[in-house]
Amino acid sequence: MSIALPDLAAMEAFGKRIAEKLRAGDVVALTGGLGTGKTTLSRAILTALGHRGDVPSPTFTIIETYEHLDPPVVHADFYRLEEPSEVEQLGLDDYREGAALLAEWPDHAGGFANEAGCLQIALEMADEGRLAVVEPGAGWQERWP
Ligand SMILES: Nc1ncnc2c1ncn2[C@@H]1O[C@H](COP(=O)(O)OP(=O)(O)OP(=O)(O)O)[C@@H](O)[C@H]1O
Ligand SMILES: [Mg+2]
């Protein structure tokens, strides 16, 4: 399913749609090249869940946590991982306990498409805006669209 995201307002609305369905254990796997809007969409989801304040890009920290939300959220950017096995050293599984994961560059962590709770979103440039191609995992079938 493709969704046109012509501007930042469309990104906010899309993030809200995802936030309304998000549960602990889910992964929102955000693929797409540099600058395609992965962090922007993550911010929109966090804002819709009620987060107020900064959402720093996890480019350097790799993992940022938002434990006060329902569900709690782990926002990760795996771009800097040299190989997928490094996710274990990060303790990702512990962070994910009871939380939803928003993952930028998921392929650098081995990918999450094998998980039923994975909502795959591929972002692409489209004129001034973006296009999202959404692939819901088995656990999302009754929630999406
Ligand atoms: N739907 C949209 N329409 C227009 N501009 C957008 C849209 N979504 C994001 N942008 C803009 O694109 C730029 C890059 O966005 P963002 O940082 O979210 O990309 P990213 O995919 O996280 O990049 P990186 O791979 O470096 O982490 C920002 O200036 C943002 O405002
Ligand atoms: Mg980013």
Side-chain angles (χ1 to χ4, degrees):
M1 182 205 309
S2 297
I3 298 171
L5 302 166
D7 52 27
L8 294 177
M11 215 64 164
E12 293 295 323
F14 185 41
K16 184 163 182 278
R17 239 177 107 185
I18 297 166
E20 282 165 356
K21 310 274 180 173
L22 195 65
R23 297 178 189 156
D26 288 340
V27 188
V28 180
L30 299 162
T31 60
L34 290 168
T36 48
K38 301 177 294 294
T39 301
T40 304
L41 182 56
S42 299
R43 286 194 179 112
I45 295 169
L46 286 161
T47 301
L49 287 172
H51 177 69
R52 297 294 171 262
D54 281 357
V55 175
S57 172
T59 311
F60 296 104
T61 53
I62 304 184
I63 286 178
E64 298 281 343
T65 58
Y66 298 86
E67 288 168 29
H68 57 293
L69 301 177
D70 180 19
V73 171
V74 178
H75 180 199
D77 183 336
F78 298 115
Y79 185 76
R80 279 155 43 89
L81 295 192
E82 309 248 320
E83 52 177 285
S85 62
E86 289 177 34
V87 290
E88 286 155 42
Q89 292 156 33
L90 282 173
L92 182 66
D93 287 348
D94 292 335
Y95 284 107
R96 287 189 62 187
E97 194 73 44
L101 173 64
L102 310 180
E104 301 186 38
W105 298 97
D107 299 348
H108 289 215
F112 300 92
N114 60 319
E115 296 187 23
C118 184
L119 184 69
Q120 288 200 84
I121 300 178
L123 292 164
E124 313 168 6
M125 300 286 183
D127 299 322
E128 304 292 291
R130 305 290 184 269
L131 182 77
V133 179
V134 184
E135 282 182 53
W140 280 86
Q141 297 294 341
E142 87 276 14
R143 287 184 274 165
W144 196 272

